[in-house]
Amino acid sequence: MLPIIQKSKIWYAISGTSVVVCIIVLFLWRLNFSIDFTGGSFLAIEFSQGRPEAQNVLETLKSLDFGEAILQNAGEKGINMRFREIDDVKHKEVIRVLKEKFPGAEERRFETIGSVIGKELKTRSLWALGAVLLFVLLFIAWSFRKVSRPVPSWQYGISAVITLFHDVIITLGAFSALGHYLHIEVGASFIAAILTVLAYSVSDTIVVFDRIRENLFKMRNVQFSDVVNASVNQTMHRSINTSLTILLSLAAIFFFGGESIKYFALTLIIGISIGTYSSIFLASPILVTWQERRKKS
């Protein structure tokens, strides 16, 4: 049996350092929001006769006078462009000018979102994340209401929410770094992926908590830390095997699923990996640390 609870200081150090680093990264680089949140237009063009220099494309677009454009290479022949919100007439004009200047240029994707809608979506996303954390806290406190000793039920809920914060902060930090170095954007699908990660992480944590609840009745004369350690060890293989199965499927989607869902899968890969770690090495040790501090006080 692995001494997971007995080594809790190691897991706290790993998690604490990771969270602090990710908060610093978020503070310095922030997230690279897509037009889903900032508003504007996105145009993906593929050049069958070879991708031109970005400067040439920018000079071509200058004649249309619609402000600053941000260009990013995509694949071997494509360029993704972001600029202020444009209407359908301007959109067709952009395509016409690009095709005249660069024969073989083909539009692959075009989206436009108003700035008001983008801000509203950002606000709703934050409300959704807050609501999920609150409901998780209330649900776990209610589910474990019959377990009052040695840890009250609401502390199971708080431990789970701390774990979820840990998972979200590290995932956000990872995407802040990816946005800074690889220009990966965060859009509406990212929020959907984060909510999915929260759901997976909390369900994995509840499995461990549920085993603790069962063992508390079976192992009445055993110390709480030993009961928790036994419970984590009993459920650890199940958690790891389940996560590995999901991660293999997500890896296949990431490599072969296409550009539109590639980063959705990457968010799930990072989030589920962190969630699996935290459900084993963080959520239950927090319960034991809390109970030991209450005993001392």
Side-chain angles (χ1 to χ4, degrees), residues 198-217:
L198 290 178
Y200 177 83
S201 181
V202 75
S203 66
D204 211 29
T205 301
I206 285 175
V207 168
V208 182
F209 285 176
D210 202 41
R211 184 57 62 91
I212 293 172
R213 177 170 57 181
E214 288 176 18
N215 286 338
L216 280 172
F217 290 105

Side-chain angles (χ1 to χ4, degrees), residues 65-96:
D65 191 28
F66 57 73
E68 184 183 358
I70 299 172
L71 272 58
Q72 179 188 348
N73 291 340
E76 295 181 359
K77 298 179 179 179
I79 290 182
N80 295 335
M81 308 176 195
R82 291 174 58 194
F83 31 76
R84 66 172 173 79
E85 184 184 355
I86 60 173
D87 56 22
D88 195 46
V89 175
K90 203 74 173 179
H91 165 221
K92 288 178 180 173
E93 196 177 348
V94 171
I95 299 300
R96 179 184 61 77

Side-chain angles (χ1 to χ4, degrees), residues 180-291:
H180 181 75
Y181 287 109
L182 301 179
H183 309 292
I184 293 175
E185 295 181 339
V186 168
S189 62
F190 178 79
I191 300 300
I194 288 290
L195 293 174
T196 307
V197 167
L198 290 178
Y200 177 83
S201 181
V202 75
S203 66
D204 211 29
T205 301
I206 285 175
V207 168
V208 182
F209 285 176
D210 202 41
R211 184 57 62 91
I212 293 172
R213 177 170 57 181
E214 288 176 18
N215 286 338
L216 280 172
F217 290 105
K218 294 177 184 173
M219 305 162 72
R220 291 181 180 276
N221 297 319
V222 180
Q223 282 193 344
F224 183 60
S225 58
D226 293 333
V227 173
V228 173
N229 194 60
S231 305
V232 173
N233 274 275
Q234 289 167 9
T235 55
M236 183 170 60
H237 293 294
R238 171 208 174 273
S239 294
I240 292 173
N241 290 337
T242 304
S243 299
L244 281 177
T245 306
I246 297 171
L247 289 174
L248 286 173
S249 304
L250 291 171
I253 294 173
F254 177 77
F255 287 110
F256 307 112
E259 197 71 21
S260 60
I261 57 172
K262 185 175 182 179
Y263 296 116
F264 177 79
L266 181 61
T267 310
L268 292 178
I269 288 171
I270 295 173
I272 288 175
S273 301
I274 300 298
T276 305
Y277 161 81
S278 65
S279 66
I280 297 171
F281 296 102
L282 194 59
S284 302
I286 288 174
L287 280 178
V288 175
T289 301
W290 209 335
Q291 186 261 346

